[in-house]
Amino acid sequence: MHFADAKGILSAGNGMNLYRGCTHGCIYCDSRSRCYGFTHDFEDVEVKRNAPELLERALRSKRKKCMIGTGAMCDPYMHCEEELRLTERCLEIIERYGFGVAIQTKSDRILRDLELLERINRKAKCVVQMTLTTYDEELCKVLEPNVCTTKERFRALQIFREHGIPTIVWLSPILPFINDTAENIDGILDYCIRAKVYGIITFGMGVTLREGDREYFYRALDRHFPGMKEKYQRKYGYAYEVASDRNRELTELLRDRCGSNGIVCDADACFRYMKEFPEKYEQLRLF
């Protein structure tokens, strides 16, 4: 890893990325794509060391409370977070200034900050998002080799639910010919139902591939699934959207099971929920 000073930390939509790059090693990661302009190796994580100072300055100047998002591009709980605690410091600032947070991760390291996230949720609002792609634990270790498995993420979701923190699952990506089966989707949905998640976000059953990401993915296919790269190349060529042939069947399965278990599965509705700051806290602050 290496350190850099950022010029700003919050996007126009109040999202922030404290790191650039990742060490989870997921074989399908879109963040590797060349369009994001990385000038360093993806695993050589860039640490925005002045992020807490920038965040405090930004929140102090805001006239209205809102939700702060993090984790959309780079996971806030990578291995280096154990030592650097940059995410923790930023969450402390968010809590101190009374803002909410919507935080996305694949790692159960987030449980380290459970009490802090509880305080944010009591004071304002906290939503924890976790990615679940593969019910099969051994396959998970191949697709997402350097991060906790699906079962461990499921247990984290349960713990957050037990502590009153709402959760959302990203069911993505679903890789054609690899994990695009009814058994896989059913297994993940069983976890979501048992963990009583608020919602599930998916943009169809498939994966996106573009320059930078595609090459890394294909090298991983050659290592772990001999002959699979050629199957992808024959069927999809250089397509960006790589949809499973089972998209309709699996999407209907998702909608049916979410509908019968009270889980929101409309992506737009999930995003609205995560962006909505509870106005009651703003009203209480006035008295």
Side-chain angles (χ1 to χ4, degrees):
M1 68 182 171
H2 63 280
F3 295 84
D5 289 320
K7 294 181 180 179
I9 197 61
L10 287 184
S11 69
N14 296 309
M16 64 178 182
N17 286 295
L18 309 178
Y19 301 106
R20 289 197 79 214
C22 190
T23 52
H24 287 341
C26 303
I27 72 170
Y28 50 73
C29 182
D30 177 72
S31 294
R32 292 181 180 276
S33 299
R34 213 155 276 160
C35 63
Y36 297 119
F38 275 84
T39 56
H40 55 85
D41 289 341
F42 192 68
E43 284 77 14
D44 178 19
V45 174
E46 182 175 284
V47 180
K48 299 178 183 178
R49 58 187 164 197
N50 61 335
E53 292 76 18
L54 291 175
L55 178 63
E56 182 160 19
R57 189 184 310 159
L59 297 190
R60 193 189 300 129
S61 66
K62 280 189 176 293
R63 299 179 63 184
K64 188 175 181 180
K65 298 288 191 293
C66 64
M67 297 292 288
I68 306 298
T70 190
M73 280 293 294
C74 296
D75 199 303
Y77 288 99
M78 289 181 287
H79 304 80
C80 59
E81 173 63 19
E82 292 184 4
E83 173 189 350
L84 299 176
R85 307 183 83 92
L86 199 61
T87 299
E88 179 184 38
R89 290 166 60 197
C90 287
L91 289 175
E92 288 172 344
I93 293 165
I94 289 170
E95 190 271 338
R96 188 185 318 138
Y97 283 86
F99 284 73
V101 69
I103 189 164
Q104 182 179 349
T105 184
K106 282 190 179 86
S107 176
D108 60 358
R109 286 188 188 91
I110 190 174
L111 290 172
R112 179 202 67 189
D113 293 333
L114 175 60
E115 291 185 8
L116 178 52
L117 294 170
E118 273 192 291
R119 294 202 302 273
I120 292 173
N121 197 47
R122 285 196 299 268
K123 198 171 185 178
K125 179 180 175 182
C126 173
V127 183
V128 169
Q129 308 157 71
M130 297 203 88
T131 300
L132 305 183
T133 63
T134 306
Y135 182 72
D136 183 290
E137 289 288 282
E138 293 308 308
L139 180 58
C140 180
K141 292 172 185 176
V142 172
L143 303 184
E144 302 157 345
N146 302 327
V147 69
C148 68
T149 65
T150 302
K151 183 179 285 188
E152 292 166 314
R153 289 176 230 170
F154 158 63
R155 181 57 187 147
L157 289 168
Q158 284 186 309
I159 291 170
F160 283 114
R161 171 67 185 185
E162 290 164 3
H163 286 79
I165 295 173
T167 57
I168 284 177
V169 161
W170 286 73
L171 182 59
S172 175
I174 301 300
L175 307 175
F177 315 121
I178 296 175
N179 64 346
D180 59 339
T181 65
E183 291 78 12
N184 182 49
I185 301 303
D186 257 331
I188 293 172
L189 291 174
D190 285 342
Y191 277 157
C192 293
I193 292 163
R194 289 168 61 190
K196 299 179 182 177
V197 305
Y198 174 86
I200 296 175
I201 293 174
T202 184
F203 296 100
M205 303 297 168
V207 64
T208 57
L209 296 175
R210 48 187 161 190
E211 189 179 8
D213 167 26
R214 183 186 293 108
E215 291 79 5
Y216 187 87
F217 178 63
Y218 280 171
R219 287 195 295 272
L221 292 186
D222 279 341
R223 285 197 307 275
H224 301 291
F225 308 95
M228 187 67 74
K229 177 182 73 175
E230 290 74 21
K231 199 170 182 178
Y232 267 73
Q233 289 174 327
R234 284 194 301 271
K235 183 170 180 61
Y236 300 110
Y238 287 90
Y240 168 59
E241 294 185 358
V242 176
S244 167
D245 288 341
R246 298 172 177 171
N247 178 54
R248 177 176 291 184
E249 166 200 345
L250 298 179
T251 299
E252 287 178 359
L253 172 62
L254 169 70
R255 289 174 178 164
D256 288 347
R257 295 206 64 194
C258 285
S260 59
N261 287 279
I263 296 174
V264 176
C265 65
D266 177 78
D268 290 338
C270 287
F271 286 125
R272 283 196 300 273
Y273 174 73
M274 286 191 285
K275 288 186 176 181
E276 287 169 354
F277 186 84
E279 293 300 324
K280 63 179 180 180
Y281 296 104
E282 282 290 283
Q283 293 165 5
L284 287 171
R285 200 168 60 86
L286 298 176
F287 294 95

PDB file of all heavy atoms in Angstrom, residues 64-84:
ATOM      1  N   LYS A  64     -27.477  20.755   6.262  1.00  0.00           N
ATOM      2  CA  LYS A  64     -28.524  19.778   6.555  1.00  0.00           C
ATOM      3  C   LYS A  64     -27.911  18.393   6.667  1.00  0.00           C
ATOM      4  O   LYS A  64     -27.035  18.022   5.900  1.00  0.00           O
ATOM      5  CB  LYS A  64     -29.579  19.798   5.437  1.00  0.00           C
ATOM      6  CG  LYS A  64     -30.808  18.972   5.728  1.00  0.00           C
ATOM      7  CD  LYS A  64     -31.850  19.137   4.634  1.00  0.00           C
ATOM      8  CE  LYS A  64     -33.096  18.327   4.957  1.00  0.00           C
ATOM      9  NZ  LYS A  64     -34.127  18.467   3.905  1.00  0.00           N
ATOM     10  N   LYS A  65     -28.387  17.633   7.652  1.00  0.00           N
ATOM     11  CA  LYS A  65     -27.906  16.276   7.837  1.00  0.00           C
ATOM     12  C   LYS A  65     -28.328  15.394   6.662  1.00  0.00           C
ATOM     13  O   LYS A  65     -29.349  15.617   6.030  1.00  0.00           O
ATOM     14  CB  LYS A  65     -28.457  15.683   9.137  1.00  0.00           C
ATOM     15  CG  LYS A  65     -28.016  16.429  10.391  1.00  0.00           C
ATOM     16  CD  LYS A  65     -26.541  16.187  10.686  1.00  0.00           C
ATOM     17  CE  LYS A  65     -26.147  16.698  12.064  1.00  0.00           C
ATOM     18  NZ  LYS A  65     -26.216  18.143  12.183  1.00  0.00           N
ATOM     19  N   CYS A  66     -27.533  14.349   6.387  1.00  0.00           N
ATOM     20  CA  CYS A  66     -27.827  13.445   5.286  1.00  0.00           C
ATOM     21  C   CYS A  66     -27.141  12.111   5.552  1.00  0.00           C
ATOM     22  O   CYS A  66     -26.430  11.940   6.550  1.00  0.00           O
ATOM     23  CB  CYS A  66     -27.357  14.033   3.955  1.00  0.00           C
ATOM     24  SG  CYS A  66     -25.565  14.255   3.853  1.00  0.00           S
ATOM     25  N   MET A  67     -27.357  11.175   4.663  1.00  0.00           N
ATOM     26  CA  MET A  67     -26.679   9.889   4.724  1.00  0.00           C
ATOM     27  C   MET A  67     -25.350   9.986   3.979  1.00  0.00           C
ATOM     28  O   MET A  67     -25.270  10.554   2.896  1.00  0.00           O
ATOM     29  CB  MET A  67     -27.541   8.807   4.082  1.00  0.00           C
ATOM     30  CG  MET A  67     -28.872   8.559   4.781  1.00  0.00           C
ATOM     31  SD  MET A  67     -28.673   7.831   6.424  1.00  0.00           S
ATOM     32  CE  MET A  67     -28.157   6.154   6.005  1.00  0.00           C
ATOM     33  N   ILE A  68     -24.314   9.427   4.563  1.00  0.00           N
ATOM     34  CA  ILE A  68     -23.003   9.345   3.932  1.00  0.00           C
ATOM     35  C   ILE A  68     -22.797   7.897   3.475  1.00  0.00           C
ATOM     36  O   ILE A  68     -22.972   6.965   4.268  1.00  0.00           O
ATOM     37  CB  ILE A  68     -21.876   9.748   4.898  1.00  0.00           C
ATOM     38  CG1 ILE A  68     -22.154  11.148   5.504  1.00  0.00           C
ATOM     39  CG2 ILE A  68     -20.529   9.702   4.204  1.00  0.00           C
ATOM     40  CD1 ILE A  68     -22.205  12.268   4.485  1.00  0.00           C
ATOM     41  N   GLY A  69     -22.438   7.714   2.225  1.00  0.00           N
ATOM     42  CA  GLY A  69     -22.223   6.370   1.698  1.00  0.00           C
ATOM     43  C   GLY A  69     -20.750   6.050   1.567  1.00  0.00           C
ATOM     44  O   GLY A  69     -19.931   6.933   1.295  1.00  0.00           O
ATOM     45  N   THR A  70     -20.401   4.787   1.753  1.00  0.00           N
ATOM     46  CA  THR A  70     -19.027   4.366   1.511  1.00  0.00           C
ATOM     47  C   THR A  70     -18.987   2.886   1.153  1.00  0.00           C
ATOM     48  O   THR A  70     -19.839   2.108   1.593  1.00  0.00           O
ATOM     49  CB  THR A  70     -18.118   4.637   2.733  1.00  0.00           C
ATOM     50  OG1 THR A  70     -16.757   4.422   2.356  1.00  0.00           O
ATOM     51  CG2 THR A  70     -18.458   3.746   3.914  1.00  0.00           C
ATOM     52  N   GLY A  71     -18.015   2.517   0.318  1.00  0.00           N
ATOM     53  CA  GLY A  71     -17.847   1.131  -0.075  1.00  0.00           C
ATOM     54  C   GLY A  71     -18.276   0.815  -1.490  1.00  0.00           C
ATOM     55  O   GLY A  71     -18.195  -0.338  -1.919  1.00  0.00           O
ATOM     56  N   ALA A  72     -18.728   1.817  -2.244  1.00  0.00           N
ATOM     57  CA  ALA A  72     -19.225   1.550  -3.592  1.00  0.00           C
ATOM     58  C   ALA A  72     -18.118   1.119  -4.545  1.00  0.00           C
ATOM     59  O   ALA A  72     -18.329   0.274  -5.416  1.00  0.00           O
ATOM     60  CB  ALA A  72     -19.939   2.789  -4.140  1.00  0.00           C
ATOM     61  N   MET A  73     -16.926   1.706  -4.412  1.00  0.00           N
ATOM     62  CA  MET A  73     -15.819   1.392  -5.317  1.00  0.00           C
ATOM     63  C   MET A  73     -14.742   0.535  -4.657  1.00  0.00           C
ATOM     64  O   MET A  73     -14.199  -0.364  -5.283  1.00  0.00           O
ATOM     65  CB  MET A  73     -15.184   2.690  -5.833  1.00  0.00           C
ATOM     66  CG  MET A  73     -15.949   3.337  -6.973  1.00  0.00           C
ATOM     67  SD  MET A  73     -15.922   2.352  -8.474  1.00  0.00           S
ATOM     68  CE  MET A  73     -14.193   2.434  -8.898  1.00  0.00           C
ATOM     69  N   CYS A  74     -14.437   0.818  -3.416  1.00  0.00           N
ATOM     70  CA  CYS A  74     -13.382   0.086  -2.707  1.00  0.00           C
ATOM     71  C   CYS A  74     -13.884  -0.285  -1.315  1.00  0.00           C
ATOM     72  O   CYS A  74     -14.444   0.557  -0.610  1.00  0.00           O
ATOM     73  CB  CYS A  74     -12.113   0.922  -2.610  1.00  0.00           C
ATOM     74  SG  CYS A  74     -11.380   1.273  -4.222  1.00  0.00           S
ATOM     75  N   ASP A  75     -13.672  -1.519  -0.938  1.00  0.00           N
ATOM     76  CA  ASP A  75     -14.188  -2.018   0.337  1.00  0.00           C
ATOM     77  C   ASP A  75     -13.536  -1.292   1.512  1.00  0.00           C
ATOM     78  O   ASP A  75     -12.305  -1.235   1.604  1.00  0.00           O
ATOM     79  CB  ASP A  75     -13.929  -3.522   0.434  1.00  0.00           C
ATOM     80  CG  ASP A  75     -14.800  -4.195   1.472  1.00  0.00           C
ATOM     81  OD1 ASP A  75     -14.753  -3.773   2.645  1.00  0.00           O
ATOM     82  OD2 ASP A  75     -15.527  -5.135   1.118  1.00  0.00           O
ATOM     83  N   PRO A  76     -14.331  -0.755   2.433  1.00  0.00           N
ATOM     84  CA  PRO A  76     -13.765  -0.036   3.576  1.00  0.00           C
ATOM     85  C   PRO A  76     -13.180  -0.941   4.657  1.00  0.00           C
ATOM     86  O   PRO A  76     -12.609  -0.448   5.632  1.00  0.00           O
ATOM     87  CB  PRO A  76     -14.965   0.756   4.119  1.00  0.00           C
ATOM     88  CG  PRO A  76     -16.156  -0.037   3.707  1.00  0.00           C
ATOM     89  CD  PRO A  76     -15.806  -0.676   2.395  1.00  0.00           C
ATOM     90  N   TYR A  77     -13.328  -2.261   4.486  1.00  0.00           N
ATOM     91  CA  TYR A  77     -12.795  -3.190   5.483  1.00  0.00           C
ATOM     92  C   TYR A  77     -11.829  -4.192   4.855  1.00  0.00           C
ATOM     93  O   TYR A  77     -11.896  -5.394   5.107  1.00  0.00           O
ATOM     94  CB  TYR A  77     -13.948  -3.908   6.204  1.00  0.00           C
ATOM     95  CG  TYR A  77     -14.675  -2.973   7.139  1.00  0.00           C
ATOM     96  CD1 TYR A  77     -15.871  -2.373   6.760  1.00  0.00           C
ATOM     97  CD2 TYR A  77     -14.144  -2.656   8.386  1.00  0.00           C
ATOM     98  CE1 TYR A  77     -16.534  -1.500   7.601  1.00  0.00           C
ATOM     99  CE2 TYR A  77     -14.797  -1.779   9.236  1.00  0.00           C
ATOM    100  CZ  TYR A  77     -15.985  -1.200   8.841  1.00  0.00           C
ATOM    101  OH  TYR A  77     -16.631  -0.322   9.690  1.00  0.00           O
ATOM    102  N   MET A  78     -10.893  -3.668   4.063  1.00  0.00           N
ATOM    103  CA  MET A  78      -9.813  -4.499   3.544  1.00  0.00           C
ATOM    104  C   MET A  78      -8.829  -4.837   4.667  1.00  0.00           C
ATOM    105  O   MET A  78      -8.941  -4.333   5.784  1.00  0.00           O
ATOM    106  CB  MET A  78      -9.084  -3.760   2.414  1.00  0.00           C
ATOM    107  CG  MET A  78      -9.893  -3.649   1.150  1.00  0.00           C
ATOM    108  SD  MET A  78      -8.964  -2.795  -0.124  1.00  0.00           S
ATOM    109  CE  MET A  78      -9.025  -1.113   0.477  1.00  0.00           C
ATOM    110  N   HIS A  79      -7.833  -5.636   4.332  1.00  0.00           N
ATOM    111  CA  HIS A  79      -6.860  -6.069   5.332  1.00  0.00           C
ATOM    112  C   HIS A  79      -6.152  -4.898   6.009  1.00  0.00           C
ATOM    113  O   HIS A  79      -5.926  -4.915   7.226  1.00  0.00           O
ATOM    114  CB  HIS A  79      -5.822  -6.991   4.674  1.00  0.00           C
ATOM    115  CG  HIS A  79      -6.433  -8.179   3.991  1.00  0.00           C
ATOM    116  ND1 HIS A  79      -6.992  -8.093   2.729  1.00  0.00           N
ATOM    117  CD2 HIS A  79      -6.587  -9.454   4.391  1.00  0.00           C
ATOM    118  CE1 HIS A  79      -7.466  -9.287   2.384  1.00  0.00           C
ATOM    119  NE2 HIS A  79      -7.234 -10.123   3.367  1.00  0.00           N
ATOM    120  N   CYS A  80      -5.827  -3.855   5.240  1.00  0.00           N
ATOM    121  CA  CYS A  80      -5.082  -2.727   5.807  1.00  0.00           C
ATOM    122  C   CYS A  80      -5.890  -1.942   6.837  1.00  0.00           C
ATOM    123  O   CYS A  80      -5.319  -1.232   7.669  1.00  0.00           O
ATOM    124  CB  CYS A  80      -4.604  -1.797   4.688  1.00  0.00           C
ATOM    125  SG  CYS A  80      -5.921  -1.104   3.659  1.00  0.00           S
ATOM    126  N   GLU A  81      -7.224  -2.087   6.822  1.00  0.00           N
ATOM    127  CA  GLU A  81      -8.050  -1.376   7.791  1.00  0.00           C
ATOM    128  C   GLU A  81      -7.780  -1.853   9.210  1.00  0.00           C
ATOM    129  O   GLU A  81      -7.953  -1.085  10.172  1.00  0.00           O
ATOM    130  CB  GLU A  81      -9.532  -1.536   7.433  1.00  0.00           C
ATOM    131  CG  GLU A  81     -10.523  -0.980   8.441  1.00  0.00           C
ATOM    132  CD  GLU A  81     -10.442   0.527   8.639  1.00  0.00           C
ATOM    133  OE1 GLU A  81      -9.881   1.239   7.778  1.00  0.00           O
ATOM    134  OE2 GLU A  81     -10.949   1.024   9.668  1.00  0.00           O
ATOM    135  N   GLU A  82      -7.341  -3.102   9.357  1.00  0.00           N
ATOM    136  CA  GLU A  82      -7.032  -3.609  10.694  1.00  0.00           C
ATOM    137  C   GLU A  82      -5.968  -2.755  11.375  1.00  0.00           C
ATOM    138  O   GLU A  82      -6.025  -2.506  12.580  1.00  0.00           O
ATOM    139  CB  GLU A  82      -6.552  -5.065  10.606  1.00  0.00           C
ATOM    140  CG  GLU A  82      -7.639  -6.040  10.191  1.00  0.00           C
ATOM    141  CD  GLU A  82      -7.149  -7.467  10.211  1.00  0.00           C
ATOM    142  OE1 GLU A  82      -5.986  -7.705  10.630  1.00  0.00           O
ATOM    143  OE2 GLU A  82      -7.916  -8.366   9.805  1.00  0.00           O
ATOM    144  N   GLU A  83      -5.004  -2.316  10.603  1.00  0.00           N
ATOM    145  CA  GLU A  83      -3.909  -1.514  11.144  1.00  0.00           C
ATOM    146  C   GLU A  83      -4.228  -0.021  11.102  1.00  0.00           C
ATOM    147  O   GLU A  83      -4.007   0.705  12.078  1.00  0.00           O
ATOM    148  CB  GLU A  83      -2.637  -1.789  10.339  1.00  0.00           C
ATOM    149  CG  GLU A  83      -1.466  -0.894  10.706  1.00  0.00           C
ATOM    150  CD  GLU A  83      -0.300  -1.051   9.742  1.00  0.00           C
ATOM    151  OE1 GLU A  83      -0.324  -1.980   8.921  1.00  0.00           O
ATOM    152  OE2 GLU A  83       0.624  -0.213   9.804  1.00  0.00           O
ATOM    153  N   LEU A  84      -4.765   0.450   9.974  1.00  0.00           N
ATOM    154  CA  LEU A  84      -4.923   1.889   9.761  1.00  0.00           C
ATOM    155  C   LEU A  84      -6.149   2.477  10.458  1.00  0.00           C
ATOM    156  O   LEU A  84      -6.135   3.638  10.859  1.00  0.00           O
ATOM    157  CB  LEU A  84      -5.004   2.174   8.258  1.00  0.00           C
ATOM    158  CG  LEU A  84      -3.784   1.772   7.436  1.00  0.00           C
ATOM    159  CD1 LEU A  84      -4.036   2.010   5.957  1.00  0.00           C
ATOM    160  CD2 LEU A  84      -2.553   2.558   7.887  1.00  0.00           C
TER     161      LEU A  84
END
